[in-house]
């Protein structure tokens, strides 16, 4: 896992847990639990002050986003990237692949046995007071990201766009 620090003055010294971490993984089933464990271990190692409920929701989101990349993008994107950005008030996790298809969250259909991962991601995000979106990359792929507040739902503005999944 590679860590990159944000430049800042000594006046704006970040909290000890702040930073941005990015790692890549093969678009294979084994990457789902590996990504989840890597994010959990990162949060623990950095001492991020997040409640257990938030962490569990975030880990489920990571599992769903990586699973989607593995199931739907592997043919055009044999490698995926996971990025975790931690600020004083927000955690942002994103999964990037090189497949151009932009998925949409399906509506509730209890007869379906699958295909509800993004709906679950959206529901967890909204309940936590966060935001999620999908962006295209310069190379034609996509980044699906979720930002959750560390302190739970609040009136604090998130680090970008409204929930679009």
């Amino acid at each position: 896992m590679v860590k990159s620090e944000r430049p800042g003055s000594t006046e704006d010294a970040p909290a000890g847990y702040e930073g941005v971490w990015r790692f890549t993984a093969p678009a294979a089933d084994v990457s789902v639990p590996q990504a989840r464990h890597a994010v959990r271990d990162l949060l623990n190692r950095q001492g991020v002050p997040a409640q257990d409920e938030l962490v569990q929701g975030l880990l489920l989101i990571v599992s769903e986003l990586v699973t989607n990349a593995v199931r739907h993008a592997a043919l055009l994107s044999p490698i995926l990237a996971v990025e975790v950005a931690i600020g004083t008030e927000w955690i942002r996790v994103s999964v990037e692949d090189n497949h151009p298809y932009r998925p949409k969250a399906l509506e509730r259909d209890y007869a379906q046995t699958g295909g509800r991962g993004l709906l679950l991601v959206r529901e967890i995000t909204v309940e936590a007071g966060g935001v999620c979106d999908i962006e295209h990359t310069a190379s034609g792929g996509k980044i699906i990201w979720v930002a959750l507040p560390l302190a739970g739902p609040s009136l604090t503005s998130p680090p970008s766009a409204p929930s679009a999944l």
Side-chain angles (χ1 to χ4, degrees):
M1 188 177 310
V2 176
K3 178 182 179 197
S4 61
E5 306 231 0
R6 289 181 294 174
S9 69
T10 55
E11 296 171 6
D12 290 338
Y17 57 82
E18 287 186 276
V20 178
W21 295 262
R22 183 177 175 89
F23 58 93
T24 59
D29 289 338
V30 69
S31 294
V32 176
Q34 288 176 346
R36 185 177 57 247
H37 294 149
V39 171
R40 182 198 62 209
D41 293 347
L42 171 66
L43 297 177
N44 288 335
R45 185 174 59 252
Q46 293 304 117
V48 177
Q51 294 181 354
D52 189 55
E53 185 176 326
L54 176 75
V55 172
Q56 295 307 315
L58 184 69
L59 296 178
L60 182 55
I61 288 169
V62 169
S63 292
E64 290 296 332
L65 295 181
V66 173
T67 296
N68 280 353
V70 167
R71 288 189 181 164
H72 304 295
L75 185 62
L76 295 178
S77 184
I79 301 292
L80 58 93
V82 177
E83 184 174 281
V84 180
I86 305 171
T88 56
E89 298 180 13
W90 289 84
I91 298 175
R92 183 181 190 269
V93 64
S94 62
V95 175
E96 180 179 347
D97 65 57
N98 290 322
H99 198 289
Y101 175 70
R102 184 179 173 134
K104 294 181 183 174
L106 300 176
E107 296 303 315
R108 290 183 180 104
D109 180 354
Y110 298 105
Q112 286 186 314
T113 59
R116 290 185 286 235
L118 288 180
L119 176 62
L120 182 61
V121 167
R122 183 176 64 195
E123 302 257 338
I124 292 169
T125 302
V126 168
E127 185 174 313
V131 293
C132 51
D133 202 1
I134 302 171
E135 300 172 358
H136 287 286
T137 64
S139 64
K142 66 184 163 301
I143 299 170
I144 302 178
W145 62 265
V146 172
L148 302 178
L150 284 174
S154 70
L155 300 175
T156 308
S157 296
S160 210
S163 297
L165 291 180

